[in-house]
Amino acid sequence: MNNNFEKTATKIAAIATLAGSICMLGGAAILGASGADVEMALDTNNIPGYLATAQAAKTLLILNLSLWILGVVLLGAGATMMTYLSRENQVVTLLARYNYWVGIPIVVTSYVAWLVVLTRLTTYEPASVSIIAETIAWFATRADWLATV
């Protein structure tokens, strides 16, 4: 690799990773301010209560997930650029790059699935859509954790 490419890749990786981290932290703060926690609702079997809370905080939750989607893409782009800079072990480098390329779409898909719940299902009576919301919530949280780990 030439020195010019390395400098450019390093700058892109640093900027993307920092911006992605800021998006993730901002999204987490907004999620905390919303008072709605889907994982807690799943653990306590209180999806109807979550849907009622989510309806009241819909704008915050949509902003939260939007920031997280942007953050995941930025972190993935930054991490992928870092793998291009690695010269140590090419097999590990390629596996890391592959993991980012697989993990990012899984996380984005889970967040988009949860956006469906927030934008569509919260407009209905919580008791009538709770089974659908619970199924999507189960998928979204498991996909998020799978890709994160």
Side-chain angles (χ1 to χ4, degrees), residues 28 42 65 114 144:
L42 284 170
L65 287 169
W114 197 245
D144 179 29

Side-chain angles (χ1 to χ4, degrees), residues 1 4 21 26 30 42-43 53 55 68 81 84 89-90 93 95 98 100 111 118 125 129:
M1 281 189 239
N4 226 7
S21 297
I30 292 168
L42 284 170
D43 289 344
T53 304
Q55 174 61 27
W68 278 356
M81 288 307 293
Y84 282 109
N89 186 333
Q90 286 301 308
T93 299
L95 284 172
Y98 174 78
Y100 290 121
Y111 292 161
L118 293 174
E125 180 62 35
V129 294

Side-chain angles (χ1 to χ4, degrees), residues 45-60:
N45 202 22
N46 187 19
I47 291 293
Y50 171 81
L51 290 171
T53 304
Q55 174 61 27
K58 185 189 291 190
T59 303
L60 287 176

Side-chain angles (χ1 to χ4, degrees), residues 28-110:
I30 292 168
L31 176 64
S34 75
D37 185 354
V38 68
E39 291 191 51
M40 181 66 76
L42 284 170
D43 289 344
T44 59
N45 202 22
N46 187 19
I47 291 293
Y50 171 81
L51 290 171
T53 304
Q55 174 61 27
K58 185 189 291 190
T59 303
L60 287 176
L61 293 171
I62 291 171
L63 180 59
N64 154 252
L65 287 169
S66 299
L67 280 172
W68 278 356
I69 290 169
L70 178 60
V72 164
V73 171
L74 288 170
L75 285 171
T80 299
M81 288 307 293
M82 288 180 207
T83 66
Y84 282 109
L85 296 170
S86 175
R87 292 192 192 110
E88 294 299 316
N89 186 333
Q90 286 301 308
V91 172
V92 173
T93 299
L94 291 173
L95 284 172
R97 193 175 308 148
Y98 174 78
N99 284 334
Y100 290 121
W101 290 351
V102 170
I104 294 165
I106 291 172
V107 173
V108 170
T109 302
S110 73

